[in-house]
């Protein structure tokens, strides 16, 4: 039996993509849940993982082990997150919002809890043509 604790920093340059589209009535994979036939945007982002350490303690012997957590560059094919499509009323000029949810690692039975809050404020440069 063991318990552990991770300690790592998740700061640094990351990757962000913004996808724009227009929903199609009757196609649940296009548009937003509330209004499937409107303009929408979706944000995907990935943060780097800066190396850290993992401490594990054997509860029977008290032996402590520290292992390295390797650094990883941001990548959109793993360790990425996405925001469900949101209505785009500004034609991509001002995209602001937030979303809060329980992380997938949450496990109330084992005392693992928390929330993830993502906030964004993306504004196009004056004179930009996005559509």
């Amino acid at each position: 039996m063991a318990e552990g604790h991770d300690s790592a920093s998740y700061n640094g340059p990351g990757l962000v993509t913004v996808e724009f589209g227009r929903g199609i009535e009757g196609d649940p994979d296009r548009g937003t849940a509330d209004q499937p036939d409107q303009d929408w945007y979706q944000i995907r982002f990935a943060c780097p993982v800066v190396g850290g350490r993992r401490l594990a303690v054997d509860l029977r012997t008290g032996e402590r082990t520290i292992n390295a957590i390797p650094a990883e560059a941001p990548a959109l094919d793993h360790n990425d997150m996405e925001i469900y499509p949101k209505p785009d009323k500004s034609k991509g000029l001002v995209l602001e919002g937030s979303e809060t949810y329980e992380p997938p690692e949450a496990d109330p039975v084992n005392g693992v809890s928390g929330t993830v809050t993502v906030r964004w404020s993306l504004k196009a440069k004056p004179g930009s043509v996005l559509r």
Side-chain angles (χ1 to χ4, degrees):
M1 187 179 271
E3 69 177 13
H5 175 71
D6 290 352
S7 172
S9 173
Y10 296 89
N11 297 309
L15 296 174
V16 175
T17 65
V18 181
E19 178 183 357
F20 295 95
R22 176 146 185 92
I24 298 172
E25 186 68 48
D27 185 347
D29 295 326
R30 301 283 303 259
T32 67
D34 297 332
Q35 296 177 323
D37 61 344
Q38 71 180 357
D39 291 334
W40 55 265
Y41 71 93
Q42 181 173 359
I43 300 171
R44 287 182 64 198
F45 57 93
C47 299
V49 176
V50 179
R53 62 189 188 126
R54 175 172 290 129
L55 169 65
V57 179
D58 185 316
L59 296 178
R60 288 176 292 181
T61 65
E63 181 181 348
R64 301 165 63 91
T65 306
I66 296 176
N67 296 309
I69 299 172
E72 294 180 31
L76 291 176
D77 60 350
H78 69 285
N79 291 333
D80 64 314
M81 301 173 74
E82 67 181 40
I83 303 301
Y84 289 110
K86 302 289 183 195
D88 179 14
K89 298 180 186 334
S90 73
K91 303 297 183 204
L93 297 176
V94 177
L95 306 176
E96 294 182 309
S98 67
E99 201 164 282
T100 299
Y101 57 91
E102 184 178 65
E105 301 84 9
D107 183 0
V109 172
N110 290 307
V112 178
S113 64
T115 57
V116 174
T117 300
V118 179
R119 290 184 182 88
W120 61 93
S121 178
L122 306 170
K123 298 175 184 169
K125 291 182 180 180
S128 296
V129 177
L130 299 176
R131 292 189 186 231

